[in-house]
Short mmCIF file of all heavy atoms in Angstrom, two decimals:
data_model
loop_
_atom_site.label_atom_id
_atom_site.label_comp_id
_atom_site.label_asym_id
_atom_site.label_seq_id
_atom_site.Cartn_x
_atom_site.Cartn_y
_atom_site.Cartn_z
N ALA D 1 130.86 115.82 124.53
CA ALA D 1 130.05 116.74 123.65
C ALA D 1 130.44 116.52 122.26
O ALA D 1 129.48 116.55 121.30
CB ALA D 1 130.28 118.15 124.11
N LYS D 2 131.70 116.38 121.95
CA LYS D 2 132.03 116.16 120.53
C LYS D 2 131.62 114.81 119.98
O LYS D 2 131.21 114.59 118.82
CB LYS D 2 133.56 116.28 120.40
CG LYS D 2 134.01 117.64 120.59
CD LYS D 2 135.66 117.72 120.27
CE LYS D 2 136.14 119.19 120.45
NZ LYS D 2 137.65 119.28 120.28
N LEU D 3 131.73 113.82 120.86
CA LEU D 3 131.35 112.49 120.47
C LEU D 3 129.93 112.44 120.16
O LEU D 3 129.46 111.69 119.30
CB LEU D 3 131.68 111.45 121.60
CG LEU D 3 131.39 110.05 121.23
CD1 LEU D 3 132.27 109.56 120.12
CD2 LEU D 3 131.73 109.11 122.47
N ILE D 4 129.02 113.05 120.98
CA ILE D 4 127.54 112.92 120.81
C ILE D 4 127.23 113.58 119.35
O ILE D 4 126.34 113.03 118.63
CB ILE D 4 126.77 113.57 121.86
CG1 ILE D 4 125.31 113.12 121.75
CG2 ILE D 4 126.84 115.11 121.90
CD1 ILE D 4 124.52 113.59 122.96
N ASP D 5 128.04 114.67 119.00
CA ASP D 5 127.81 115.26 117.71
C ASP D 5 128.11 114.28 116.62
O ASP D 5 127.42 114.15 115.52
CB ASP D 5 128.58 116.52 117.56
CG ASP D 5 127.91 117.62 118.40
OD1 ASP D 5 126.71 117.59 118.69
OD2 ASP D 5 128.63 118.71 118.65
N GLN D 6 129.35 113.57 116.81
CA GLN D 6 129.69 112.60 115.82
C GLN D 6 128.70 111.48 115.68
O GLN D 6 128.38 110.99 114.56
CB GLN D 6 131.07 111.99 116.20
CG GLN D 6 132.20 113.11 116.06
CD GLN D 6 133.52 112.58 116.67
OE1 GLN D 6 133.62 111.41 117.00
NE2 GLN D 6 134.50 113.39 116.82
N TYR D 7 128.23 110.93 116.85
CA TYR D 7 127.28 109.96 116.81
C TYR D 7 125.92 110.31 116.20
O TYR D 7 125.36 109.47 115.44
CB TYR D 7 127.05 109.43 118.34
CG TYR D 7 126.01 108.37 118.36
CD1 TYR D 7 126.26 107.08 118.07
CD2 TYR D 7 124.60 108.59 118.71
CE1 TYR D 7 125.34 106.00 118.04
CE2 TYR D 7 123.64 107.62 118.78
CZ TYR D 7 124.03 106.27 118.44
OH TYR D 7 123.14 105.35 118.50
N LEU D 8 125.55 111.46 116.44
CA LEU D 8 124.31 111.97 115.85
C LEU D 8 124.40 112.07 114.33
O LEU D 8 123.51 111.68 113.56
CB LEU D 8 123.89 113.28 116.40
CG LEU D 8 123.18 113.34 117.71
CD1 LEU D 8 123.06 114.75 118.36
CD2 LEU D 8 121.80 112.71 117.57
N ARG D 9 125.59 112.56 113.87
CA ARG D 9 125.80 112.56 112.40
C ARG D 9 125.74 111.26 111.72
O ARG D 9 125.16 110.94 110.73
CB ARG D 9 127.10 113.27 112.03
CG ARG D 9 127.14 114.77 112.33
CD ARG D 9 128.40 115.41 111.55
NE ARG D 9 129.54 115.00 112.28
CZ ARG D 9 130.13 115.67 113.34
NH1 ARG D 9 129.57 116.81 113.80
NH2 ARG D 9 131.21 115.24 113.84
N LYS D 10 126.43 110.30 112.45
CA LYS D 10 126.52 108.84 111.99
C LYS D 10 125.04 108.32 112.07
O LYS D 10 124.68 107.60 111.03
CB LYS D 10 127.41 108.06 112.88
CG LYS D 10 127.52 106.64 112.35
CD LYS D 10 128.53 105.88 113.25
CE LYS D 10 128.53 104.38 112.76
NZ LYS D 10 129.52 103.56 113.63
N ALA D 11 124.29 108.58 113.05
CA ALA D 11 122.95 107.94 113.30
C ALA D 11 121.99 108.52 112.17
O ALA D 11 121.19 107.83 111.65
CB ALA D 11 122.46 108.22 114.68
N ASN D 12 122.16 109.74 111.83
CA ASN D 12 121.33 110.38 110.92
C ASN D 12 121.65 109.88 109.48
O ASN D 12 120.75 109.75 108.60
CB ASN D 12 121.53 111.96 110.90
CG ASN D 12 120.66 112.59 112.00
OD1 ASN D 12 119.38 112.40 112.15
ND2 ASN D 12 121.31 113.38 112.85
N ASP D 13 122.95 109.60 109.21
CA ASP D 13 123.37 108.93 108.00
C ASP D 13 122.71 107.51 107.90
O ASP D 13 122.20 107.22 106.86
CB ASP D 13 124.83 108.86 107.89
CG ASP D 13 125.47 110.21 107.60
OD1 ASP D 13 124.80 111.16 107.30
OD2 ASP D 13 126.64 110.38 107.87
N GLU D 14 122.77 106.84 109.00
CA GLU D 14 122.23 105.54 108.98
C GLU D 14 120.72 105.53 108.86
O GLU D 14 120.06 104.69 108.13
CB GLU D 14 122.51 104.77 110.43
CG GLU D 14 124.05 104.40 110.44
CD GLU D 14 124.40 103.87 111.68
OE1 GLU D 14 123.59 104.11 112.72
OE2 GLU D 14 125.40 103.20 111.94
N LEU D 15 120.08 106.58 109.44
CA LEU D 15 118.61 106.70 109.30
C LEU D 15 118.27 106.96 107.85
O LEU D 15 117.27 106.38 107.40
CB LEU D 15 118.07 107.86 110.20
CG LEU D 15 116.63 108.15 110.13
CD1 LEU D 15 115.77 107.00 110.54
CD2 LEU D 15 116.21 109.44 111.01
N ALA D 16 118.98 107.82 107.18
CA ALA D 16 118.74 108.13 105.79
C ALA D 16 118.83 106.94 104.90
O ALA D 16 117.95 106.61 104.06
CB ALA D 16 119.64 109.21 105.33
N GLU D 17 119.83 106.04 105.25
CA GLU D 17 119.99 104.74 104.52
C GLU D 17 118.81 103.76 104.81
O GLU D 17 118.38 103.07 103.83
CB GLU D 17 121.34 104.23 104.79
CG GLU D 17 121.72 103.04 103.83
CD GLU D 17 123.17 102.58 103.97
OE1 GLU D 17 123.92 103.23 104.77
OE2 GLU D 17 123.55 101.58 103.32
N VAL D 18 118.51 103.69 106.11
CA VAL D 18 117.36 102.84 106.46
C VAL D 18 116.15 103.28 105.88
O VAL D 18 115.35 102.43 105.51
CB VAL D 18 117.31 102.74 108.02
CG1 VAL D 18 116.02 102.05 108.55
CG2 VAL D 18 118.49 102.05 108.57
N LYS D 19 115.91 104.52 105.87
CA LYS D 19 114.71 105.13 105.27
C LYS D 19 114.57 104.77 103.75
O LYS D 19 113.52 104.40 103.29
CB LYS D 19 114.64 106.64 105.41
CG LYS D 19 113.44 107.28 104.91
CD LYS D 19 113.43 108.76 105.18
CE LYS D 19 113.38 109.06 106.64
NZ LYS D 19 113.21 110.54 107.05
N LYS D 20 115.76 104.85 103.09
CA LYS D 20 115.78 104.48 101.67
C LYS D 20 115.54 103.01 101.43
O LYS D 20 114.76 102.64 100.64
CB LYS D 20 117.15 104.86 101.07
CG LYS D 20 117.23 104.44 99.56
CD LYS D 20 118.66 104.92 99.18
CE LYS D 20 118.83 104.45 97.67
NZ LYS D 20 120.32 104.77 97.18
N GLU D 21 116.14 102.20 102.21
CA GLU D 21 115.83 100.80 102.21
C GLU D 21 114.51 100.37 102.56
O GLU D 21 113.82 99.47 101.98
CB GLU D 21 116.85 99.98 103.07
CG GLU D 21 118.32 100.05 102.67
CD GLU D 21 118.63 99.46 101.36
OE1 GLU D 21 117.83 98.58 100.94
OE2 GLU D 21 119.83 99.68 100.76
N THR D 22 114.00 101.03 103.63
CA THR D 22 112.56 100.77 104.06
C THR D 22 111.57 101.11 102.99
O THR D 22 110.63 100.34 102.78
CB THR D 22 112.26 101.65 105.33
OG1 THR D 22 113.12 101.19 106.34
CG2 THR D 22 110.88 101.31 105.80
N ALA D 23 111.81 102.20 102.28
CA ALA D 23 110.88 102.49 101.22
C ALA D 23 110.96 101.62 100.03
O ALA D 23 109.91 101.22 99.50
CB ALA D 23 111.37 103.88 100.65
N GLY D 24 112.06 101.05 99.87
CA GLY D 24 112.30 99.97 98.75
C GLY D 24 111.54 98.64 99.20
O GLY D 24 110.76 98.05 98.39
N VAL D 25 111.63 98.28 100.43
CA VAL D 25 110.85 97.06 100.86
C VAL D 25 109.39 97.32 100.87
O VAL D 25 108.69 96.38 100.55
CB VAL D 25 111.39 96.73 102.39
CG1 VAL D 25 110.55 95.54 102.93
CG2 VAL D 25 112.85 96.38 102.29
N MET D 26 108.98 98.46 101.37
CA MET D 26 107.57 98.80 101.40
C MET D 26 107.03 98.76 99.95
O MET D 26 105.85 98.40 99.69
CB MET D 26 107.28 100.04 102.05
CG MET D 26 107.57 100.02 103.50
SD MET D 26 107.46 101.67 104.38
CE MET D 26 105.60 101.86 104.29
N ALA D 27 107.84 99.31 98.97
CA ALA D 27 107.39 99.28 97.59
C ALA D 27 107.27 97.89 97.04
O ALA D 27 106.35 97.58 96.29
CB ALA D 27 108.33 100.06 96.80
N GLU D 28 108.16 97.03 97.44
CA GLU D 28 108.00 95.61 97.10
C GLU D 28 106.78 95.01 97.67
O GLU D 28 106.13 94.15 96.97
CB GLU D 28 109.26 94.89 97.51
CG GLU D 28 109.29 93.36 97.18
CD GLU D 28 109.35 93.09 95.65
OE1 GLU D 28 109.68 94.05 94.88
OE2 GLU D 28 109.09 91.97 95.30
N GLU D 29 106.48 95.23 98.90
CA GLU D 29 105.26 94.75 99.54
C GLU D 29 104.03 95.20 98.79
O GLU D 29 103.07 94.41 98.49
CB GLU D 29 105.12 95.22 101.01
CG GLU D 29 103.98 94.63 101.79
CD GLU D 29 102.68 95.23 101.65
OE1 GLU D 29 102.72 96.50 101.30
OE2 GLU D 29 101.68 94.73 101.87
N SER D 30 104.04 96.38 98.37
CA SER D 30 102.88 96.97 97.56
C SER D 30 102.77 96.27 96.22
O SER D 30 101.60 96.00 95.72
CB SER D 30 103.06 98.53 97.38
OG SER D 30 103.07 99.18 98.68
N ARG D 31 103.97 95.99 95.62
CA ARG D 31 103.92 95.38 94.28
C ARG D 31 103.30 93.91 94.37
O ARG D 31 102.53 93.59 93.55
CB ARG D 31 105.27 95.37 93.62
CG ARG D 31 105.31 94.85 92.26
CD ARG D 31 106.83 94.84 91.75
NE ARG D 31 107.55 93.76 92.43
CZ ARG D 31 107.45 92.44 91.98
NH1 ARG D 31 106.76 92.17 90.85
NH2 ARG D 31 108.16 91.56 92.62
N THR D 32 103.83 93.22 95.35
CA THR D 32 103.35 91.87 95.48
C THR D 32 101.89 91.80 95.95
O THR D 32 101.19 90.88 95.54
CB THR D 32 104.14 91.04 96.59
OG1 THR D 32 104.19 91.81 97.76
CG2 THR D 32 105.61 90.92 96.07
N ARG D 33 101.46 92.73 96.70
CA ARG D 33 99.99 92.80 97.08
C ARG D 33 99.22 93.11 95.88
O ARG D 33 98.07 92.55 95.74
CB ARG D 33 99.86 93.86 98.16
CG ARG D 33 98.37 93.96 98.65
CD ARG D 33 98.12 95.00 99.75
NE ARG D 33 98.22 96.37 99.21
CZ ARG D 33 99.20 97.13 99.53
NH1 ARG D 33 100.23 96.74 100.26
NH2 ARG D 33 99.28 98.35 98.99
N ARG D 34 99.68 93.94 94.99
CA ARG D 34 98.96 94.37 93.84
C ARG D 34 98.89 93.02 92.91
O ARG D 34 97.76 92.82 92.22
CB ARG D 34 99.63 95.47 93.14
CG ARG D 34 98.86 96.05 91.90
CD ARG D 34 99.33 97.42 91.54
NE ARG D 34 100.83 97.35 91.28
CZ ARG D 34 101.59 97.93 92.08
NH1 ARG D 34 101.20 98.56 93.12
NH2 ARG D 34 102.95 97.87 91.80
N LEU D 35 99.92 92.29 92.89
CA LEU D 35 99.98 91.13 92.00
C LEU D 35 98.92 90.10 92.58
O LEU D 35 98.19 89.31 91.80
CB LEU D 35 101.24 90.45 91.96
CG LEU D 35 102.35 91.23 91.23
CD1 LEU D 35 103.76 90.57 91.32
CD2 LEU D 35 101.98 91.32 89.73
N VAL D 36 98.78 89.92 93.90
CA VAL D 36 97.88 89.06 94.54
C VAL D 36 96.39 89.51 94.17
O VAL D 36 95.56 88.64 93.82
CB VAL D 36 98.11 89.04 96.09
CG1 VAL D 36 96.86 88.19 96.67
CG2 VAL D 36 99.38 88.25 96.36
N GLU D 37 96.20 90.80 94.29
CA GLU D 37 94.86 91.30 94.03
C GLU D 37 94.49 91.11 92.52
O GLU D 37 93.34 90.72 92.17
CB GLU D 37 94.79 92.73 94.32
CG GLU D 37 94.93 92.97 95.81
CD GLU D 37 95.02 94.53 96.11
OE1 GLU D 37 95.32 95.35 95.19
OE2 GLU D 37 94.99 94.91 97.40
N GLU D 38 95.44 91.37 91.62
CA GLU D 38 95.20 91.16 90.14
C GLU D 38 94.87 89.65 89.90
O GLU D 38 94.13 89.25 89.05
CB GLU D 38 96.41 91.63 89.36
CG GLU D 38 96.54 93.08 89.35
CD GLU D 38 97.79 93.60 88.65
OE1 GLU D 38 98.64 92.71 88.38
OE2 GLU D 38 98.06 94.80 88.56
N ASN D 39 95.68 88.80 90.57
CA ASN D 39 95.46 87.34 90.35
C ASN D 39 94.05 86.94 90.87
O ASN D 39 93.36 86.14 90.18
CB ASN D 39 96.54 86.59 91.26
CG ASN D 39 96.38 85.04 91.15
OD1 ASN D 39 95.68 84.44 91.95
ND2 ASN D 39 96.99 84.42 90.17
N GLU D 40 93.70 87.47 92.02
CA GLU D 40 92.25 87.16 92.51
C GLU D 40 91.26 87.67 91.58
O GLU D 40 90.23 86.97 91.34
CB GLU D 40 92.18 87.69 93.90
CG GLU D 40 93.02 87.02 94.93
CD GLU D 40 92.92 87.60 96.25
OE1 GLU D 40 92.42 88.84 96.43
OE2 GLU D 40 93.27 87.03 97.23
N LYS D 41 91.39 88.83 90.96
CA LYS D 41 90.44 89.45 90.05
C LYS D 41 90.38 88.50 88.78
O LYS D 41 89.30 88.28 88.31
CB LYS D 41 90.90 90.78 89.61
CG LYS D 41 90.66 91.85 90.81
CD LYS D 41 91.11 93.26 90.27
CE LYS D 41 90.80 94.24 91.44
NZ LYS D 41 91.20 95.62 90.98
N GLU D 42 91.58 88.09 88.33
CA GLU D 42 91.55 87.22 87.13
C GLU D 42 90.95 85.91 87.39
O GLU D 42 90.23 85.37 86.53
CB GLU D 42 93.02 87.06 86.64
CG GLU D 42 93.12 86.23 85.38
CD GLU D 42 92.48 86.81 84.21
OE1 GLU D 42 92.19 88.01 84.21
OE2 GLU D 42 92.12 86.09 83.22
N SER D 43 91.09 85.35 88.62
CA SER D 43 90.55 84.08 88.94
C SER D 43 88.95 84.24 89.02
O SER D 43 88.18 83.45 88.54
CB SER D 43 91.01 83.65 90.32
OG SER D 43 90.30 82.50 90.74
N ALA D 44 88.53 85.42 89.52
CA ALA D 44 87.07 85.63 89.63
C ALA D 44 86.52 85.87 88.18
O ALA D 44 85.43 85.48 87.83
CB ALA D 44 86.83 86.87 90.39
N ARG D 45 87.36 86.42 87.32
CA ARG D 45 86.86 86.53 85.86
C ARG D 45 86.73 85.22 85.17
O ARG D 45 85.69 85.06 84.39
CB ARG D 45 87.92 87.48 85.11
CG ARG D 45 87.34 88.01 83.74
CD ARG D 45 88.37 89.04 83.25
NE ARG D 45 89.56 88.38 82.74
CZ ARG D 45 89.65 87.93 81.48
NH1 ARG D 45 88.54 88.02 80.66
NH2 ARG D 45 90.70 87.20 81.00
N GLN D 46 87.65 84.44 85.42
CA GLN D 46 87.55 83.01 84.83
C GLN D 46 86.39 82.32 85.35
O GLN D 46 85.63 81.56 84.62
CB GLN D 46 88.81 82.19 85.10
CG GLN D 46 90.06 82.71 84.48
CD GLN D 46 90.00 82.84 82.92
OE1 GLN D 46 89.45 81.93 82.22
NE2 GLN D 46 90.57 83.96 82.30
N THR D 47 86.03 82.46 86.62
CA THR D 47 84.86 81.85 87.11
C THR D 47 83.61 82.31 86.49
O THR D 47 82.67 81.57 86.17
CB THR D 47 84.75 82.17 88.67
OG1 THR D 47 85.93 81.52 89.29
CG2 THR D 47 83.55 81.54 89.35
#
């Protein structure tokens, strides 16, 4: 019973860290996607 409480606390701490890292990775994906879209728009403009 005590161990499961300890494990839950640790797992929740890990989840909070994973959530933070996941948000950062997803933000990077959004940034690179936006760069690709801007590049394509600029290519179309030059055409």
